[in-house]
Amino acid sequence: MSAASSPSPTTPSESPWAPLAARVFRALWIAQLVSNVGSWMQTVGAQWLLIGSDAALLTLVQTASSLPVVLLALPAGVVADRFDRRSVLLAAQGAMLTVSTVLTVLAFTGALTPTLLLALTFLLGCGTALMGPAWQAIQPELVERRRLGQAAALGAVNMNLARAVGPAIGGAVVAVAGVGWVFAFNAVSYLGIAAVLLLWRPAPSSRPAGVGDEPLLAALYAGRRYVWNAPGVRRVLLRTLLFVPGGAALWSLLPLSAYRFLGLGSGGYGLLLAAVGAGAVAGAFVLPRARRALGAGGTLTAGALVFAGVLAVLATVRVPWLVVLVLLPAGVAWIGVLSTLNAAVQTRLPGWVRARGLAVYLLVFQGGQALAAPLWGVVADWLGLTAALLIAGASLLVGVALGHRRPLHGTEGLDPSPSDHWPTPPLLFEPGAADGPVLVSVVYRVGPRDRAEFTARMTRVARSRRRTGALTWGLYQDGGDPERFVENYLVASWSDHLAQHHARLTGTDRRDEERARELLVPGTRPEVTHAFDSTAGPLVPDSVDRAAAP
């Protein structure tokens, strides 16, 4: 593994199934499997209803289910960080159950038009978008942090095990009984997750304190600000963006390949999806060893290369059994990429902004699929299905080349756990929560031999300040006293600054501050002051000034 690659968080001697020992995780995993089977059955039914349409319309099924993530992922992340995540998940399950019931009724009565199908698929996607950040954010509450990589892999196994079973069942049910029955099963499948969530009693501290009172726009901005100032998270998003558009071609064009190239019906298409799912389940057994051998970056590269090869085979081979065999390694590659990216972003996010950070990741992942799917459909209509598949494979090879130049950052020493290490500000009055902006100034004294290294180490402190709330930041050296450095940063309000003190700082932030302060002149300490905007008048009463006067 290269020095820049992230090590696997999985303990080498542990089984990849270890997270299933946690009772709630195991129950939710089983319930999610049933629900995912229902979702894949519905996907087959929806796509097969449109199989006689042009390629662009058929690929809109994937767009309708993924586009809501583009529109709602960030607000859903705010909701999951501000409100009880269990309640958010229950609301999403109820909404999807209602929409699926309507879809079922329309299918059985023969009133389901392509427009209604896409509209209701879009509404189901809205439920999935609302659920996604909250579902991802509760994982650290269900399993130990050292097992998050295994939990992410098991989540991918869950989806792909459902892919191995659901499409085959769905195709058979469509062929024998009609589309309405696959929609009905999907509606019932939501009840299992709802039942487990109703019985689960999370710890009262599951939602970090100090972040529940932010207005919606402020909370959205805080999530964007954190991700922008977290290089490790940004690099994960980049690697996601390099893989997803090309990878999406497999899912959006596979039904057309089955129908046009291989002459298969709904049952045959289900078998192709089942092959991908079976490969992913098998991948769960080999993934821990492969990740230890290749590292996170190598796993992403290998997955993209395999996917590119599979797309080339789909474009050129017309033998069904051979295509089935080739789709098996596609499943291994998919679970490898998905679980690696998921674990990488999970381990880099602190609790107070975890759902919003994961929402950005889901926005890139699902949004990339939503935008790429119709693009590949248009390319298939214009240039032909073979050309579309080959171009998608080529885009993955370009992503591999670019990803080699932008490897994942390592996680050595990364500590996203909360750290309440700042002392209470020594003020002479009690500011209101909305008072601000607040100018925080920190004075350091640094000797001549350490100044260059000090300023270099303060770049990490600068990112910490911006991640946790600073609107602006600067480090200044006193022209009349070169030993004196002044750090200034502006925070929007007093409540935002208190959140920095008590809710947003992590062990990594503390380490970066300590490394910079190691270089201070011996015997000196940073001097911190807090200044409030007084353009509308003084905030400190005169009586306080007189009482504080010497």
Side-chain angles (χ1 to χ4, degrees):
M1 179 174 64
S2 66
S5 296
S6 300
S8 170
T10 303
T11 302
S13 60
E14 281 191 319
S15 164
W17 309 97
L20 291 176
R23 182 176 58 85
V24 177
F25 180 88
R26 181 174 64 251
L28 281 174
W29 192 90
I30 294 171
Q32 185 190 25
L33 176 62
V34 175
S35 183
N36 284 337
V37 168
S39 297
W40 277 106
M41 290 173 65
Q42 172 159 312
T43 297
V44 170
Q47 289 179 324
W48 215 253
L49 277 176
L50 301 176
I51 196 64
S53 307
D54 60 34
L57 181 61
L58 178 62
T59 55
L60 284 178
V61 173
Q62 182 175 349
T63 299
S65 61
S66 300
L67 184 59
V69 177
V70 179
L71 304 176
L72 300 177
L74 294 180
V78 172
V79 169
D81 275 335
R82 292 187 63 188
F83 301 103
D84 176 63
R85 290 165 182 163
R86 172 176 166 272
S87 299
V88 172
L89 292 170
L90 283 169
Q93 293 299 305
M96 290 188 287
L97 171 60
T98 301
V99 174
S100 293
T101 301
V102 172
L103 187 59
T104 301
V105 172
L106 291 175
F108 276 124
T109 58
L112 187 59
T113 64
T115 300
L116 283 174
L117 174 63
L118 292 175
L120 292 170
T121 301
F122 178 84
L123 291 177
L124 284 175
C126 290
T128 302
L130 177 63
M131 180 180 174
W135 183 271
Q136 295 285 349
I138 67 170
Q139 301 307 305
E141 302 176 41
L142 305 177
V143 299
E144 300 173 52
R145 182 174 180 269
R146 65 189 177 89
R147 289 178 172 171
L148 282 176
Q150 295 153 288
L154 284 174
V157 167
N158 191 302
M159 174 60 75
N160 287 283
L161 183 59
R163 181 182 283 121
V165 176
I169 297 176
V173 171
V174 169
V176 174
V179 171
W181 288 103
V182 298
F183 294 159
F185 181 89
N186 186 50
V188 174
S189 71
Y190 294 116
L191 296 175
I193 293 179
V196 177
L197 290 171
L198 284 170
L199 295 174
W200 176 41
R201 292 294 180 268
S205 59
S206 60
R207 183 169 64 88
V211 299
D213 298 328
E214 296 170 293
L216 175 62
L217 292 180
L220 283 172
Y221 179 74
R224 186 207 66 82
R225 180 183 60 218
Y226 186 91
V227 170
W228 183 255
N229 291 287
V233 176
R234 290 207 318 271
R235 189 59 59 84
V236 175
L237 297 179
L238 173 63
R239 296 302 297 267
T240 303
L241 191 59
L242 292 176
F243 174 80
V244 166
L250 178 68
W251 310 117
S252 59
L253 298 179
L254 188 60
L256 288 175
S257 298
Y259 183 68
R260 296 182 184 178
F261 288 168
L262 304 178
L264 300 176
S266 61
Y269 170 54
L271 180 62
L272 296 183
L273 286 177
V276 181
V281 174
F285 294 94
V286 302
L287 183 59
R289 182 178 300 176
R291 190 179 287 148
R292 287 195 298 271
L294 300 175
T299 302
L300 296 178
T301 297
L305 291 174
V306 170
F307 243 67
V310 170
L311 289 172
V313 171
L314 284 177
T316 56
V317 173
R318 305 292 183 264
V319 182
W321 67 266
L322 186 56
V323 171
V324 168
L325 291 179
V326 170
L327 287 174
L328 292 171
V332 178
W334 182 257
I335 190 177
V337 171
L338 184 62
S339 63
T340 298
L341 292 171
N342 197 307
V345 73
Q346 284 268 12
T347 55
R348 287 167 168 81
L349 290 169
W352 72 271
V353 76
R354 182 181 297 125
R356 279 166 283 181
L358 286 164
V360 176
Y361 163 69
L362 292 173
L363 173 63
V364 174
F365 194 97
Q366 297 286 352
Q369 292 190 81
L371 297 177
L375 174 63
W376 295 126
V378 170
V379 173
D381 280 338
W382 285 0
L383 303 178
L385 184 55
T386 298
L389 290 166
L390 292 176
I391 293 172
S395 73
L396 287 170
L397 297 180
V398 172
V400 168
L402 294 175
H404 183 70
R405 301 179 62 181
R406 295 290 187 273
L408 294 179
H409 294 303
T411 57
E412 297 84 357
L414 187 66
D415 180 10
S417 61
S419 179
D420 190 2
H421 61 276
W422 283 4
T424 302
L427 302 182
L428 298 178
F429 78 112
E430 184 63 33
D435 287 344
V438 182
L439 178 65
V440 183
S441 299
V442 188
V443 177
Y444 308 93
R445 305 200 74 85
V446 185
R449 290 187 301 177
D450 296 320
R451 290 170 192 166
E453 179 63 21
F454 174 76
T455 56
R457 294 186 184 186
M458 285 297 289
T459 59
R460 299 181 70 90
V461 175
R463 285 197 290 265
S464 168
R465 306 289 198 238
R466 292 189 174 108
R467 281 196 300 268
T468 56
L471 303 176
T472 62
W473 183 91
L475 181 65
Y476 307 89
Q477 186 176 18
D478 192 331
D481 183 1
E483 187 179 84
R484 184 173 179 268
F485 285 79
V486 181
E487 175 195 10
N488 286 333
Y489 61 95
L490 192 69
V491 185
S493 67
W494 183 242
S495 63
D496 242 14
H497 186 53
L498 287 182
Q500 284 184 306
H501 271 263
H502 304 303
R504 296 178 178 175
L505 293 175
T506 67
T508 300
D509 298 320
R510 180 171 187 165
R511 182 204 63 198
D512 291 339
E513 291 176 14
E514 291 173 346
R515 290 192 71 246
R517 295 179 183 187
E518 289 172 354
L519 302 175
L520 300 187
V521 172
T524 66
R525 300 182 64 183
E527 301 172 8
V528 185
T529 60
H530 301 79
F532 294 79
D533 181 17
S534 60
T535 53
L539 291 173
V540 184
D542 291 341
S543 58
V544 173
D545 286 338
R546 286 194 296 270

